[in-house]
Amino acid sequence: MVQDIADGYWRPTSAAFYLYEHVVELDESADMDLSELAEHLMEVFVTSICIADQYSVTLNHAYSDADLDSDLDKLAESLRGSGGISVGDAIKEVKKRTSEVARIITFYELDRLPESSVSLPSLNDAIPRLHAAIVRAFVAIQVSFEEIFKSKLASATDAKRFERYFDPGTAPCLDLFQKVKEGSECPFAARSRVWGAPSYVSTESIRENLSSSLPFLTSFTRVARREHLDGFLYAFPVGVFSSDISGLAPLTKTFISFLMSNDPAEPRTFSRDDITRPGWNFTFDGEDFFVNVFSPCYGHEHSRYTHGARDSIFILLQPNSSFHSKIPRDQSENKRQQIRQAFHNVYQGYEHQALEAHRFVLPLVHSDPPVAWYDAQEFFEKVGGYVIPPNVE
């Protein structure tokens, strides 16, 4: 049901502004008839579902974390039996929780999270509390939440009332990567929450394409640690870039070099000496990332196998905060060993490289020498095409 709602209602350009509008409307709740009040409450509920979808909040897990039943009908029934509450108090609670969600989104949309945002909860915590308050308000006004919700679900056809815009949480590259997620031996892969870059435009240069992704990658770094997001994905078409190791090396160097020079927190020049020193790791906007390069050139016995996805090279930026949020630091090495063993058990064992840079692009045979992608030549471009390819002019 949740995904049907999210698909049927395009998200507002400014979700926070839309929520604040309904907070103002609810200030006039005393003058509304019950059907109008129920409509405002359901609009907030629907909008919050779209926000959860946009920020990759898995609602059934979020409900569980909040000790709420993920079945909305059962949730309404449990709240109906939890004791009386006045209509005024119920609406006051909805306004409070709606404003809280709106403030979180406002902070996420800023260039930097202000210090005052530290005390705010994550959307994973705030949205279930808002939903519980909305359902409780329906109980207070004695209107069936279930009936209004099902009616709204059945009429979720007005997709054009909000402006369409690119959403990294539903980027097309995520569908291309789905086979890799489902087939990976990593125990966290299938349920990972990943954002993606816009689709690659082959008539534009690689730097133009990467430039278009920067606002979304920067937004990801603001949100990832708080919402426990697991990765940001790029898909590069094999029709433009060579998928063999000799092609992956210049692609990876151009990619890393571009992001380093456009880092909003610390713009810097690519330095081979820095990248090949012990202890170096890739950072962007203050977040540490592990870089995974997947390519169709890797066979089924390889840990970077693309599981039948033949048309794309994937670069997945995995924030270290994702790993630490799932595994206590004192258990991290044991868990890493278990993950490596899981790959080994399906003949995808790999050598653990000492240098971080040597873990980005892996050789076709894991026992071969590391790939020195940092020594490759970057792509040099001219307006409207390439002086030195990929494969288009």
Side-chain angles (χ1 to χ4, degrees):
M1 279 190 182
V2 166
Q3 191 59 52
D4 291 336
I5 286 281
D7 289 343
Y9 286 82
W10 286 96
R11 303 165 186 81
T13 301
S14 177
F17 178 77
Y18 192 72
L19 287 177
Y20 280 129
E21 277 190 328
H22 279 287
V23 170
V24 173
E25 293 289 345
L26 289 173
D27 282 334
E28 309 298 326
S29 59
D31 300 323
M32 297 179 189
D33 60 36
L34 294 183
S35 62
E36 184 181 4
L37 179 54
E39 180 65 24
H40 280 295
L41 290 170
M42 188 53 64
E43 279 293 317
V44 174
F45 184 81
V46 166
T47 302
S48 68
I49 287 177
C50 294
I51 291 167
D53 186 57
Q54 180 180 4
Y55 285 94
S56 302
V57 175
T58 307
L59 283 176
N60 59 334
H61 297 155
Y63 285 172
S64 177
D65 292 342
D67 293 325
L68 295 173
D69 199 309
S70 60
D71 185 305
L72 299 175
D73 293 348
K74 291 181 180 178
L75 174 61
E77 186 61 34
S78 66
L79 292 173
R80 189 175 291 115
S82 62
I85 183 173
S86 71
V87 173
D89 286 344
I91 299 303
K92 182 178 179 180
E93 182 68 11
V94 171
K95 288 166 55 182
K96 173 184 174 182
R97 298 302 180 186
T98 303
S99 296
E100 182 179 61
V101 171
R103 285 198 303 274
I104 296 169
I105 299 168
T106 300
F107 284 142
Y108 285 169
E109 292 176 350
L110 296 175
D111 288 339
R112 285 285 183 274
L113 286 174
E115 291 297 325
S116 58
S117 70
V118 174
S119 61
L120 283 174
S122 66
L123 290 173
N124 188 81
D125 295 331
I127 289 178
R129 292 203 290 255
L130 170 59
H131 287 181
I134 290 171
V135 174
R136 189 174 290 111
F138 271 93
V139 173
I141 64 176
Q142 299 182 17
V143 173
S144 171
F145 172 84
E146 301 93 321
E147 291 181 9
I148 300 297
F149 178 74
K150 290 174 182 177
S151 173
K152 180 65 71 175
L153 182 63
S155 63
T157 57
D158 56 345
K160 294 183 179 179
R161 69 180 178 143
F162 296 136
E163 177 185 352
R164 291 172 181 244
Y165 68 104
F166 176 73
D167 175 10
T170 57
C173 65
L174 301 178
D175 292 332
L176 301 176
F177 194 66
Q178 190 63 29
K179 289 182 179 179
V180 182
K181 284 182 59 177
E182 293 174 350
S184 174
E185 291 303 311
C186 175
F188 307 118
R191 289 177 56 179
S192 61
R193 299 158 61 197
V194 180
W195 284 12
S199 297
Y200 196 92
V201 179
S202 60
T203 55
E204 297 179 355
S205 71
I206 183 174
R207 289 174 176 81
E208 289 171 325
N209 275 277
L210 291 174
S211 291
S212 70
S213 75
L214 288 175
F216 306 106
L217 177 57
T218 303
S219 177
F220 177 86
T221 62
R222 291 197 297 270
V223 176
R225 189 179 297 270
R226 290 169 58 92
E227 299 296 340
H228 303 307
L229 301 181
D230 299 304
F232 192 91
L233 181 71
Y234 289 82
F236 298 92
V238 169
V240 175
F241 297 91
S242 173
S243 62
D244 59 19
I245 299 298
S246 63
L248 297 182
L251 171 60
T252 303
K253 183 174 181 180
T254 305
F255 176 83
I256 295 295
S257 177
F258 180 89
L259 293 185
M260 290 175 68
S261 63
N262 289 276
D263 188 333
E266 185 189 359
R268 57 206 183 277
T269 302
F270 187 96
S271 168
R272 183 191 191 280
D273 290 342
D274 281 344
I275 288 170
T276 56
R277 65 174 170 79
W280 177 86
N281 59 291
F282 175 68
T283 65
F284 183 85
D285 201 19
E287 179 68 63
D288 294 338
F289 285 97
F290 178 62
V291 181
N292 302 266
V293 179
F294 298 83
S295 171
C297 74
Y298 296 120
H300 64 84
E301 75 290 348
H302 203 285
S303 58
R304 299 290 174 82
Y305 177 49
T306 56
H307 294 269
R310 306 296 304 171
D311 299 328
S312 298
I313 299 160
F314 300 106
I315 298 183
L316 177 66
L317 299 179
Q318 181 181 0
N320 285 355
S321 60
S322 166
F323 192 79
H324 296 317
S325 71
K326 294 175 171 58
I327 303 172
R329 290 182 182 272
D330 61 350
Q331 300 177 21
S332 63
E333 186 52 38
N334 287 339
K335 193 62 180 181
R336 289 177 196 273
Q337 292 287 354
Q338 291 174 16
I339 293 173
R340 286 197 285 271
Q341 185 61 44
F343 279 98
H344 178 78
N345 289 344
V346 293
Y347 305 103
Q348 292 181 350
Y350 55 91
E351 301 292 327
H352 182 67
Q353 298 294 338
L355 289 182
E356 180 81 357
H358 288 161
R359 304 173 192 172
F360 292 3
V361 181
L362 299 182
L364 286 177
V365 179
H366 286 299
S367 58
D368 285 351
V371 177
W373 58 267
Y374 40 78
D375 288 331
Q377 188 174 23
E378 290 186 44
F379 295 126
F380 291 93
E381 301 157 321
K382 62 183 181 182
V383 175
Y386 298 91
V387 175
I388 295 178
N391 301 325
V392 295
E393 188 61 38

